[in-house]
């Protein structure tokens, strides 16, 4: 329309717009050129000579090129609109604060960073119940904590304080921040952008933590791959997470991890970069090279609501359960954990658990919350753990019961000085009471704490350092600050709170059964709560055996069997029975040279007042138990050999 | 129609200029009507809207504190009531002339030409002021500058009272010596260098005078005339692929600011940028560019 008239009425066609748009635009006031200062000087000849360059009116243009004035008006207007870049005025917002506009400081909106579809899908998964979020924020559980923020704070306030120690090296916070910034620059060069997932499969070495902090500094998301995992698990995890990059060893104890990852690239279209630590691998980038990059200065630092971890509860199924976690979930839990565990900046924290497991990362989160130093044990072995405790003298130990059991069995805590341990936090699997007591007895003044957590929650329950050993040995303690627990049907422990993950990523089926109707997370653990609020984990719901309608949890029987002189380790699982529905089958690893029989084990259990219907009805002796990377028995893999 | 015999043109002019200054104009003058009629394009000449016009009076107001030039441009961008003040003075002046001298006068409408669109003024207030000698064209897109008052907003009155015209400025204050130095070194003056959309370019001759001024008004307008983006925002919403994208297109915070500005009816607020003036030494540092400096000068004069 021009002057209220339609194109048909003014006789303009697309071809006219196309034909005359350019000349009309340039003759109009849109492009102005003035030579000299003719108007001020009243040089009328010069004014006339320049009139077209100074800009003609529509009427003048019309007269000059032979269109009607209305046609010129219409075409000029169209041309002005066509030449505008929509949203250009956003640049105005870049002017301010006394700053002068600089082109190099400004990124046009259309050129601005855009999250990838994969990243947006993950971010969309970070959905929480609004009323709960309001409570978490108002109560201070959710704040602006980020790992980058914590690291920068310590690097500024205490640049020379130790942040990472190994048996033979120390990295201070200032140097750590520098190395993290450099690797962030390298990862950026390798194509990692905000919101991208980066897989990490490394032992507990400084490069692990540097990689972790560099990934999250870029706003990336780390997914951990356990060291024992091989190509099949890699493909599942990196494929499901749509990882953009994968950081691993060239040689992981005889396994060519980088080569294996490279061989998967055709099956993993999102995987752009394999980054290897160790000898160069053709096709892979060198982690050492990337760590020598120019430091990254991300335009947008991560914020607390960003997802930064994507952890898998299982790497072997075709429907992996991926747990996305935000800083809100994890870091408030760690920040409040400091006071509860009585951990401060002077502590030296050692994790026997791998960083591939959230329990290991919890120790890192606590250390960064406090500004404390993390002592690294690259790979667990009983002598390595006991030796490092003696030489490096950590004050806080994070360990699985299996680690302690192995050291105790080898007499290593008698042979090594472990008196530096002020607090030992055990988690990862059920803590046998006898084991806790036996270890506490060797600690002297040190305290034992039991912690219950899941990948979905980090630290949900724990005993406090002042709790007597009777409580720490028998229970997982009380909820962490902000965490709420309840015992639901079938004694199932259910949890909610600021630490709770939002739901499994890309697994609606798992989510349907993971939460109660009123939003509590169904842990699958069975538990009881005593009068003081201490929670004792009694087993797993799926471990319950339903023998002809009588349900029982075999955990107490397994604990008894583990103390039998002919048994090293036991696990009782249900097997189908045509009459009863299910009956109990005991899988056992015998002590060296021993051959226990079902009859003698049942007699032993009966002597310990185990009811007859709970006695195992079948015995399978195995050489080894299938174990998770965190030393839990994988009962699902225990299948009887025959009918 | 001639002036009434008892009106002395020189005295009347002085009375009018006194009125303007008393009401807050920093500068005022009378443009040469013949020159105006020759230079302004057909349809935009003073006689096109007032056939019996004899004189065109231009006045300028302005002035911000030094601090105003350094606060965020978003807040500074528009000088609030400054432009309105110019119009108010000229509106009053038209009545003043009619009541004082008994001749018809009009306050020159500052609005756009309703038929030609929002970027085409009905009358060029800039041309009036330039010929009245209260401003000279700068390299910053022909924005008028004054050697003493820097950057001003202008308004005009047309009257059938015949007044002796003023001369345009003898010298153009633009480019300032510091701008010439910069141009010699980097090939750009501050206004050219710091324009966010690089809509300015030009050359300075060997004598330090303007040789050529180039102004891409289309680029400037896209940056500064936010009303131009209103239909664009609506078009984006109409073309959005999803309801969410449509909502974003309409309720994007920047767009909401546009709706706000429109709802309060502050047309001028829709035009912002001012970077060329923020870096202009004449606009910001002319001897009487801000109210404090002017006050001090007035005190010194009185003393």
């Amino acid at each position: 329309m021009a002057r209220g008239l339609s194109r048909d009425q003014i006789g303009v066609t697309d071809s006219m717009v196309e034909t005359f748009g350019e000349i009309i635009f340039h003759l109009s006031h849109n492009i102005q050129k003035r030579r000299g200062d003719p108007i001020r000087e009243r040089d009328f000849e010069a004014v006339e000579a320049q009139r077209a360059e100074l800009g003609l009116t529509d009427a003048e243009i019309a007269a000059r090129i032979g269109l009607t004035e209305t046609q010129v008006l219409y075409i000029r207007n169209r041309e002005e609109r066509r030449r505008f870049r929509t949203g250009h005025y956003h640049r105005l917002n870049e002017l301010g604060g006394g700053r002068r506009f600089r082109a190099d400081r400004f990124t046009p909106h259309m050129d601005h960073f855009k999250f990838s579809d994969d990243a947006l899908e993950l971010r969309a998964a970070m959905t929480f119940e609004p009323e709960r979020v309001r409570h978490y924020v108002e109560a201070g559980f959710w704040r602006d904590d980020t790992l980058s923020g914590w690291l920068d704070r310590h690097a500024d306030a205490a640049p020379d304080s130790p942040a990472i120690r190994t048996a033979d090296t120390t990295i201070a916070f200032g140097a750590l921040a520098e190395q993290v910034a450099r690797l962030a620059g390298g990862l950026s060069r390798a194509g990692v952008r905000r919101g991208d997932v980066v897989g990490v499969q490394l032992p507990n070495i400084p490069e692990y933590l540097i990689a972790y902090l560099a990934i999250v500094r870029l706003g990336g998301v780390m997914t951990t791959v356990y060291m024992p995992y091989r190509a099949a698990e890699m493909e599942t995890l990196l494929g499901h997470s749509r990882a953009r990059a994968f950081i691993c060893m060239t040689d992981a104890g005889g396994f060519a991890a980088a080569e294996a990852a490279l061989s998967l690239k055709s099956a993993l279209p999102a995987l752009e970069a394999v980054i290897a630590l160790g000898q160069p691998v053709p096709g892979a980038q060198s982690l050492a090279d990337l760590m020598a990059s120019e430091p990254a200065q991300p335009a947008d630092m991560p914020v607390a609501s960003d997802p930064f971890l994507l952890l898998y509860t299982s790497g072997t199924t075709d429907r992996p359960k991926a747990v996305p976690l935000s800083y809100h979930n994890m870091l408030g839990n760690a920040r409040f954990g400091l006071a509860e565990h009585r951990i401060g900046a002077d502590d030296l924290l050692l994790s026997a658990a791998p960083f591939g497991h959230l329990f290991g990362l919890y120790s890192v989160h606590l250390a960064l919350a406090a500004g404390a130093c993390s002592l690294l044990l690259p790979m667990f072995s009983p002598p390595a753990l006991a030796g490092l405790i003696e030489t490096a003298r950590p004050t806080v130990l994070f360990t699985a019961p299996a680690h302690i059991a192995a050291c105790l069995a080898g007499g290593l805590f008698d042979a090594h000085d472990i008196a530096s341990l002020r607090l030992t936090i055990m988690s990862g699997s059920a803590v046998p009471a006898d084991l806790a007591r036996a270890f506490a007895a060797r600690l002297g003044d040190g305290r034992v704490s039991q912690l219950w957590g899941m990948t979905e929650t980090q630290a949900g329950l724990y005993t406090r350092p002042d709790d007597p050993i009777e409580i720490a040995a028998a229970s997982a303690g009380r909820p962490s600050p902000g965490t709420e627990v309840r015992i639901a049907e079938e004694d199932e422990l259910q949890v909610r709170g600021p630490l709770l993950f939002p739901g499994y990523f890309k697994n609606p089926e798992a989510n349907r059964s993971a939460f109660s109707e009123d939003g509590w997370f169904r842990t699958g653990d069975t538990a009881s709560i005593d009068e003081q609020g201490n929670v004792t984990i009694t087993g797993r719901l799926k471990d319950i055996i339903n023998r002809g309608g009588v349900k029982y949890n075999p955990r107490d029987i397994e604990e008894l069997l583990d103390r039998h002189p002919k048994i090293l380790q036991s696990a009782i699982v249900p097997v189908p029975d045509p009459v009863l529905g299910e009956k109990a089958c005991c899988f056992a690893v015998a002590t060296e040279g021993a051959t226990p029989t079902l009859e003698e084990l049942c007699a032993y259990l009966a002597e310990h007042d185990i009811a007859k219907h709970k006695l195992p009805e079948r015995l399978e002796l195995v050489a080894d138990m299938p174990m998770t990377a965190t030393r839990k028995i994988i009962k699902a893999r225990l299948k009887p050999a025959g009918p | 129609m001639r002036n009434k015999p008892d009106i002395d043109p020189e005295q009347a002019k002085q009375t009018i200029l006194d009125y303007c200054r008393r009401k807050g104009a920093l500068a005022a003058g009378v443009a040469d009507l013949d020159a105006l009629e020759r230079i302004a394009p057909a349809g935009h000449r003073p006689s096109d809207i007032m056939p019996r016009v004899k004189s065109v009076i231009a006045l300028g107001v302005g002035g911000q504190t030094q601090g105003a030039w350094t606060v965020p441009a978003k807040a500074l961008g528009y000088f609030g009531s400054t432009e309105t003040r110019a119009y108010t003075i000229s509106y009053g002046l038209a009545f003043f002339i009619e009541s004082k001298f008994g001749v018809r006068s009009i306050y020159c409408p500052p609005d756009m030409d309703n038929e030609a669109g929002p970027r085409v003024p009905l009358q060029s207030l800039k041309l009036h002021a330039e010929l009245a000698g209260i401003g000279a064209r700068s390299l910053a897109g022909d924005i008028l500058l004054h050697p003493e008052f820097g950057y001003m907003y202008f308004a005009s009155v047309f009257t059938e009272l015949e007044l002796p015209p003023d001369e345009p400025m003898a010298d153009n204050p633009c480019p300032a010596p510091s701008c010439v130095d910069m141009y010699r070194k980097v090939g750009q003056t501050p206004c050219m260098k710091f324009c966010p959309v690089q809509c300015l370019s030009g050359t300075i001759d060997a004598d330090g005078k303007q040789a050529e001024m180039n102004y891409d008004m289309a680029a400037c307008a896209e940056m500064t005339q936010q009303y131009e983006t209103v239909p664009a925002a609506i078009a984006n919403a109409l073309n959005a692929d999803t309801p969410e994208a449509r909502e974003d297109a309409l309720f994007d915070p920047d767009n909401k600011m546009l709706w706000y500005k429109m709802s309060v009816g502050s047309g001028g607020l829709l035009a912002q940028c001012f970077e060329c003036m923020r870096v202009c030494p004449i606009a910001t540092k002319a001897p009487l560019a801000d109210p404090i400096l002017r006050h001090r000068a007035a005190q010194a004069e009185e003393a």
Side-chain angles (χ1 to χ4, degrees):
Chain A
M1 303 280 282
R3 293 176 174 156
L5 303 175
S6 69
R7 284 166 59 129
D8 297 344
Q9 290 170 308
I10 59 179
V12 168
T13 63
D14 285 341
S15 64
M16 280 180 74
V17 174
E18 185 71 22
T19 303
F20 294 106
E22 178 76 15
I23 184 63
I24 288 174
F25 186 80
H26 279 276
L27 285 174
S28 73
H29 50 246
N30 282 289
I31 303 297
Q32 299 181 17
K33 181 193 286 281
R34 169 171 57 78
R35 281 173 279 109
D37 208 352
I39 296 175
R40 184 178 60 80
E41 293 166 352
R42 284 179 293 182
D43 181 347
F44 298 114
E45 283 185 16
V47 169
E48 285 308 318
Q50 294 185 38
R51 193 175 285 281
E53 291 175 306
L54 278 165
L56 298 178
T57 65
D58 294 339
E60 289 169 329
I61 296 170
R64 183 153 176 172
I65 65 176
L67 274 73
T68 69
E69 185 183 345
T70 309
Q71 287 170 338
V72 171
L73 169 61
Y74 178 89
I75 295 172
R76 174 173 62 77
N77 209 38
R78 283 289 297 250
E79 198 67 11
E80 287 170 355
R81 170 78 185 96
R82 192 178 69 79
R83 287 169 186 258
F84 278 9
R85 296 198 304 163
T86 303
H88 207 157
Y89 67 93
H90 288 293
R91 287 181 173 217
L92 280 170
N93 295 326
E94 294 300 309
L95 311 177
R99 289 188 308 156
R100 299 289 183 239
F101 180 85
R102 300 279 193 284
D104 57 349
R105 285 186 195 150
F106 178 74
T107 304
H109 278 46
M110 56 280 283
D111 299 336
H112 212 271
F113 167 75
K114 185 180 174 187
F115 284 100
S116 69
D117 290 343
D118 290 334
L120 289 172
E121 188 176 13
L122 179 57
R123 295 175 75 80
M126 307 305 289
T127 304
F128 301 90
E129 209 274 304
E131 275 301 308
R132 303 298 306 163
V133 168
R134 182 177 169 184
H135 165 64
Y136 302 151
V137 171
E138 290 176 349
F141 296 117
W142 283 16
R143 286 201 332 208
D144 60 347
D145 307 299
T146 61
L147 289 179
S148 298
W150 284 358
L151 175 61
D152 289 348
R153 194 178 75 211
H154 300 315
D156 287 343
D160 299 326
S161 291
I164 297 175
R165 272 182 65 188
T166 65
D168 50 18
T169 187
T170 299
I171 303 173
F173 274 107
L176 177 61
E178 166 78 15
Q179 292 185 43
V180 166
R182 285 189 181 281
L183 180 55
L187 291 175
S188 180
R189 193 154 52 86
V192 176
R193 304 183 70 190
R194 197 172 173 207
D196 286 345
V197 173
V198 179
V200 176
Q201 184 188 42
L202 294 173
N204 285 13
I205 55 178
E207 287 82 354
Y208 199 125
L209 297 188
I210 293 167
Y212 179 27
L213 294 168
I215 293 164
V216 300
R217 184 175 182 81
L218 288 177
V221 178
M222 180 173 77
T223 192
T224 61
V225 178
Y226 297 143
M227 286 303 289
Y229 282 178
R230 298 297 181 254
E233 291 95 347
M234 278 182 190
E235 183 173 355
T236 301
L237 301 189
L238 299 181
H240 187 269
S241 66
R242 304 274 300 168
R244 180 70 64 98
F246 181 54
I247 303 173
C248 61
M249 304 292 292
T250 297
D251 178 1
F255 168 57
E259 285 183 7
L262 286 168
S263 73
L264 294 171
K265 280 188 84 170
S266 59
L268 300 172
L271 184 64
E272 289 184 2
V274 173
I275 300 163
L277 174 61
Q279 291 296 312
V281 178
Q285 301 193 45
S286 160
L287 182 63
D289 286 349
L290 295 184
M291 290 178 71
S293 302
E294 284 298 307
Q297 300 293 341
D300 296 303
M301 291 296 283
V303 293
S305 62
D306 287 342
F308 76 115
L309 282 172
L310 185 63
L311 304 179
Y312 286 83
T313 60
S314 163
T316 54
T317 68
D318 60 349
R319 295 294 298 160
K321 290 164 83 172
V323 178
L325 295 162
S326 71
Y327 294 105
H328 278 146
N329 295 138
M330 295 291 97
L331 299 197
N333 182 246
R335 175 162 45 80
F336 278 93
L338 291 181
E340 303 296 315
H341 299 307
R342 298 195 181 165
I343 290 173
D346 294 334
D347 275 311
L348 181 59
L349 282 63
L350 169 62
S351 174
F355 293 146
H357 186 264
L358 185 54
F359 182 46
L361 289 181
Y362 181 54
S363 76
V364 175
H365 297 161
L366 287 168
L368 283 167
C373 182
S374 292
L375 174 64
L376 306 192
L377 175 67
M379 195 70 80
F380 168 79
S381 73
L385 175 62
L388 187 62
I389 294 172
E390 182 172 63
T391 55
R393 303 191 63 73
T395 57
V396 184
L397 172 65
F398 297 78
T399 178
H403 298 136
I404 298 297
C407 290
L408 285 171
L412 293 167
F413 290 149
D414 298 319
H416 291 274
D417 177 8
I418 59 170
S420 66
L421 292 176
R422 184 179 58 73
L423 175 66
T424 298
I425 300 176
M426 285 198 270
S427 187
S429 63
V431 180
D434 288 350
L435 180 76
R437 289 194 193 92
F439 182 56
R442 284 166 176 78
L443 280 177
D445 293 335
R447 314 295 296 201
V448 169
S449 181
Q450 191 177 153
L451 180 149
W452 172 90
M454 301 175 70
T455 306
E456 293 88 340
T457 64
Q458 196 167 250
L461 301 161
Y462 40 76
T463 61
R464 274 49 173 187
D466 286 343
D467 287 339
I469 187 62
E470 289 75 24
I471 290 178
S475 82
R478 298 171 297 285
S480 54
T483 304
E484 297 175 76
V485 297
R486 71 181 183 187
I487 305 298
E489 282 182 18
E490 296 187 281
D491 290 340
E492 186 184 28
L493 177 68
Q494 297 188 349
V495 177
R496 71 174 183 181
L499 77 178
L500 188 62
F501 82 127
Y504 298 108
F505 181 49
K506 293 194 284 196
N507 196 336
E509 187 182 326
N511 284 328
R512 274 193 288 277
S513 58
F515 294 91
S516 67
E517 285 187 2
D518 54 352
W520 291 66
F521 175 56
R522 304 183 61 205
T523 67
D525 282 342
T526 54
S528 62
I529 302 180
D530 69 14
E531 291 174 350
Q532 284 74 46
N534 292 302
V535 178
T536 298
I537 306 297
T538 53
R540 292 283 298 163
L541 259 185
K542 63 185 175 187
D543 292 345
I544 285 176
I545 295 168
N546 186 345
R547 186 180 186 278
V550 180
K551 297 176 185 175
Y552 67 97
N553 193 312
R555 185 173 164 193
D556 55 339
I557 306 168
E558 291 165 347
E559 281 199 22
L560 271 174
L561 288 172
D562 287 351
R563 297 211 293 266
H564 190 280
K566 289 187 177 179
I567 301 287
L568 264 182
Q569 206 169 21
S570 66
I572 296 174
V573 298
V575 291
D577 182 85
V579 178
L580 298 169
E582 285 180 357
K583 61 184 181 182
C585 175
C586 174
F587 283 79
V589 179
T591 53
E592 194 172 346
T595 311
T597 65
L598 182 63
E599 291 70 27
E600 65 182 298
L601 294 181
C602 287
Y604 162 78
L605 292 172
E607 283 171 24
H608 287 80
D609 300 326
I610 296 298
K612 189 177 176 185
H613 74 275
K614 295 167 76 175
L615 297 178
E617 292 165 79
R618 185 166 174 168
L619 176 65
E620 295 279 343
L621 294 177
V622 292
D624 294 298
M625 288 288 183
M627 304 286 278
T628 67
T630 53
R631 313 302 298 164
K632 283 193 237 182
I633 296 172
I634 306 172
K635 283 192 171 182
R637 291 194 196 165
L638 294 173
K639 306 286 185 195
Chain B
M1 181 178 170
R2 290 179 157 278
N3 287 351
K4 291 177 182 174
D6 56 337
I7 298 175
D8 173 30
E10 286 289 351
Q11 202 168 35
K13 178 180 175 183
Q14 193 57 49
T15 301
I16 288 167
L17 297 183
D18 287 346
Y19 173 90
C20 293
R21 294 197 180 93
R22 198 166 62 245
K23 295 295 181 184
L26 300 181
V30 178
D32 181 337
L33 184 62
D34 290 340
L36 271 179
E37 291 285 314
R38 286 186 70 172
I39 294 170
H44 300 271
R45 294 164 182 150
S47 58
D48 288 329
I49 58 171
M50 191 179 196
R52 294 179 177 178
V53 62
K54 290 287 183 295
S55 301
V56 171
I57 304 156
L59 61 90
V61 304
Q64 289 293 311
T65 60
Q66 292 294 313
W69 289 110
T70 61
V71 299
K74 283 175 279 191
L76 169 78
Y78 180 64
F79 284 169
S81 63
T82 309
E83 181 180 326
T84 310
R85 189 145 46 94
Y87 301 154
T88 304
I89 296 170
S90 60
Y91 183 70
L93 177 61
F95 279 105
F96 176 76
I97 294 171
E98 287 197 349
S99 68
K100 181 84 178 174
F101 302 107
V103 290
R104 286 187 285 268
S105 304
I106 63 166
Y107 150 61
C108 175
D111 297 332
M112 72 290 283
D113 182 338
N114 287 333
E115 293 188 344
R119 279 194 271 123
V120 179
L122 198 57
Q123 290 280 314
S124 171
L125 302 179
K126 184 160 64 180
L127 182 61
H128 303 162
E130 184 181 19
L131 289 174
I134 59 173
R137 289 176 190 247
S138 69
L139 288 167
D142 275 358
I143 286 176
L144 295 190
L145 293 174
H146 190 283
E148 288 182 318
F149 302 114
Y151 167 72
M152 291 186 285
Y153 278 97
F154 299 102
S156 302
V157 168
F158 294 175
T159 178
E160 293 178 6
L161 184 64
E162 199 161 308
L163 299 169
D166 288 296
E167 295 286 315
M169 285 181 184
D171 295 307
N172 192 328
C174 174
S178 62
C179 299
V180 176
D181 289 346
M182 180 173 168
Y183 176 81
R184 302 263 186 261
K185 288 173 186 163
V186 301
Q188 285 185 304
T189 56
C191 55
M192 296 173 193
K193 179 172 180 181
F194 294 109
C195 171
V197 289
Q198 292 294 288
C199 71
L200 302 173
S201 62
T203 54
I204 295 174
D205 66 20
D207 298 327
K209 306 290 183 191
Q210 297 178 33
E212 187 174 298
M213 187 285 307
N214 297 307
Y215 174 44
D216 183 344
M217 193 176 84
C220 179
E222 185 181 359
M223 173 74 187
T224 59
Q225 309 300 312
Q226 291 191 19
Y227 57 80
E228 303 260 7
T229 67
V230 172
I234 295 171
N236 282 345
L238 289 171
N239 295 329
D241 293 331
T242 64
E244 293 77 19
R246 186 171 303 119
E247 184 168 330
D248 289 346
L250 288 172
F251 295 100
D252 167 273
D254 286 334
N255 287 343
K256 282 180 81 171
M257 184 56 78
L258 286 181
W259 313 141
Y260 166 74
K261 289 170 179 174
M262 292 175 68
S263 69
V264 298
S266 49
L269 277 171
L270 291 169
Q272 294 184 353
C273 177
F274 291 89
E275 279 302 282
C276 56
M277 290 295 99
R278 285 219 304 167
V279 295
C280 173
I282 302 165
T284 60
K285 295 187 174 60
L288 302 175
D290 73 58
I292 295 172
L293 294 174
R294 288 198 296 277
H295 178 66
R296 285 182 187 147
Q299 281 183 320
E301 198 172 313
E302 284 174 15

